[in-house]
Amino acid sequence: MRQGLLGNCWFLASASAIAEKPSRMEQVFLNLDTELNAAGIYGVNLNGLGVPYTVIVDDRIPTIKKYEKGQMVDRSPFTKLAKDGSIWMTILEKAFAKTHGNYLHIESGDTRMGVDQIYGAPYEMIKPLTKFGKD
């Protein structure tokens, strides 16, 4: 995964942790084949407040013009396409941003929340005791 200009490393870390076991990430996507969808439409299963739901997104990724090696090129300001050409992280990020209103609404967050919303895995926050065992 290659983060773009958006400050959503917490979300990328969540997705990366889930993807360590491919079968987990496969449950997130409705499109099970590894080929690009001819219609450019992808279904992504997410979770909110403990309830699973599906988000439908297209593969049109926002881009900005950037000057590189003497020419203008279109580049995504968000998660970059993988070096192997796979787009699953870009699609997942777009679906997640769509559920939160837009890309800017997913800046700054908590990795635990990302795992919960992507995979539906519960988490518990445990406050460590201070040096003297007091709050």
Side-chain angles (χ1 to χ4, degrees):
M1 294 183 201
R2 299 182 305 152
Q3 184 176 0
L5 301 175
L6 188 63
N8 66 343
C9 59
W10 66 275
F11 173 73
L12 300 180
S14 301
S16 179
I18 294 166
E20 284 292 318
K21 187 170 183 184
S23 62
R24 289 181 184 152
M25 193 53 78
E26 289 168 0
Q27 293 175 23
V28 174
F29 290 92
L30 291 179
N31 309 60
L32 297 179
D33 56 0
T34 58
E35 300 298 317
L36 292 176
N37 182 306
I41 299 173
Y42 298 87
V44 179
N45 296 315
L46 296 173
N47 294 274
L49 300 174
V51 178
Y53 61 92
T54 301
V55 180
I56 305 298
V57 295
D58 60 29
D59 60 5
R60 295 179 54 123
I61 305 303
T63 60
I64 56 173
K65 297 264 186 219
K66 187 175 178 184
Y67 192 74
E68 273 183 15
K69 298 180 183 175
Q71 60 183 344
M72 292 299 284
V73 294
D74 288 325
R75 294 285 184 241
S76 172
F78 308 116
T79 299
K80 309 295 183 216
L81 295 178
K83 290 182 181 180
D84 67 359
S86 62
I87 65 167
W88 68 269
M89 186 59 229
T90 307
I91 296 298
L92 178 60
E93 180 185 47
K94 183 173 183 176
F96 196 73
K98 181 178 179 178
T99 65
H100 290 275
N102 63 45
Y103 284 94
L104 294 178
H105 289 149
I106 62 172
E107 274 202 317
S108 185
D110 189 311
T111 305
R112 295 168 294 200
M113 182 186 77
V115 171
D116 178 49
Q117 290 187 2
I118 296 170
Y119 191 63
Y123 66 90
E124 180 179 357
M125 290 182 65
I126 300 172
K127 184 178 177 184
L129 295 174
T130 62
K131 185 176 179 180
F132 301 104
K134 300 177 184 177
D135 284 336

